[in-house]
Amino acid sequence: MRVPVLTSKLDFPPPERATPEGIVAVGGEASPERLLAGYRRGIFPWPHDGLPLLWFSPDPRFVLPPREAHVPHSLRKRVRRGELEVRTDTAFADVMRACGEAPRPGQRGTWITEELIAGYSALHAAGVAHSIESWSNGELVGGLYGVSLGRMFFGESMFARAPDASKIAFATLLGNLVDWDFALVDCQVYTDHLERFGAVEWPRREFLRALKTALDAPTKMGPWRFDLEPAQAIERLIPR
């Protein structure tokens, strides 16, 4: 199958025309405008070393409805001890760079380029890209970043420099998304880590239907400030 090459226009081919590997198109730049156009179509960038920028819409899609999320008992205990502070949107670029430096063979966090950092940082400045951060004694020790449109949060990457630091940030995010009545977290592709939180695979067509509905709602613009602290947030999630 021949993969379309993107032009200066922001149009993407239909996601349903993706290759079996999920590639929708190649090339183009990771500008904030193109990134937004992609997310609205269920398409995200996934850089691969030595290749033009690849744009993906995999089938199946790995997703997590926040109200169906689970937090393991051991993580609940750690959250309740209050060892880490969770902040939002205070160190976006630092979180992206830390995700890019994290050693994850075979996963795309390793390939976070300067172009992507610039594109997502512009989305952060516009209020639609967000960082959720774990801090310990004034030091950034974990977190994640992603894009939010309508009632959908598109998770991009996470990192941890302390035990469970990214998990605590993610669990706090999930509880607040329940509180804000978000419909879905897009986890993109399967990982064991996210499966433990309750993420499941959906057919792409089902994901695209859910995306269309989620985009009908107003976007919660940033900078974000959580209404629930970590210990409160996990109480909104289903115990495993």
Side-chain angles (χ1 to χ4, degrees), residues 36 40 89 123-130 148-150 180 182 218-225:
L36 276 182
R40 290 185 178 280
D89 287 339
L123 291 183
H124 172 65
V128 296
H130 306 281
S148 177
L149 295 171
W180 293 342
F182 270 55
T219 295
K220 184 176 178 63
M221 304 297 289
W224 276 2
R225 294 294 179 265

Side-chain angles (χ1 to χ4, degrees), residues 45-198:
W46 186 343
H48 284 63
D49 196 26
L51 295 174
L53 186 57
L54 302 180
W55 299 84
F56 281 78
S57 183
D59 189 11
R61 191 79 166 223
F62 206 46
V63 300
L64 177 54
R67 293 185 183 279
E68 298 176 17
H70 304 280
V71 178
H73 181 68
S74 59
L75 184 61
R76 286 178 174 270
K77 290 176 62 177
R78 184 180 286 274
V79 170
R80 291 189 183 109
R81 289 201 293 268
E83 298 168 347
L84 299 179
E85 176 190 2
V86 176
R87 305 177 190 172
T88 51
D89 287 339
T90 70
F92 184 85
D94 292 336
V95 169
M96 277 202 75
R97 292 187 185 281
C99 289
E101 295 165 0
R104 284 187 289 264
Q107 295 188 32
R108 59 193 174 84
T110 304
W111 305 113
I112 294 173
T113 63
E114 289 299 321
E115 181 186 10
L116 284 185
I117 291 172
Y120 282 99
S121 293
L123 291 183
H124 172 65
V128 296
H130 306 281
S131 58
I132 294 85
E133 313 140 10
S134 289
W135 294 80
S136 176
N137 298 316
E139 179 183 357
L140 180 65
V141 295
L144 64 129
Y145 75 96
V147 172
S148 177
L149 295 171
R151 295 172 60 233
M152 178 86 72
F153 184 84
F154 305 85
E156 275 300 316
S157 191
M158 58 180 63
F159 80 100
R161 295 172 180 159
D164 292 334
S166 62
K167 296 177 184 177
I168 289 172
F170 188 53
T172 305
L173 168 67
L174 289 171
N176 278 276
L177 293 183
V178 170
D179 199 54
W180 293 342
D181 197 30
F182 270 55
L184 202 63
V185 175
D186 174 26
C187 303
Q188 299 177 345
V189 294
Y190 175 88
T191 67
D192 292 339
H193 171 70
L194 293 174
E195 185 183 44
R196 295 189 189 100
F197 276 93

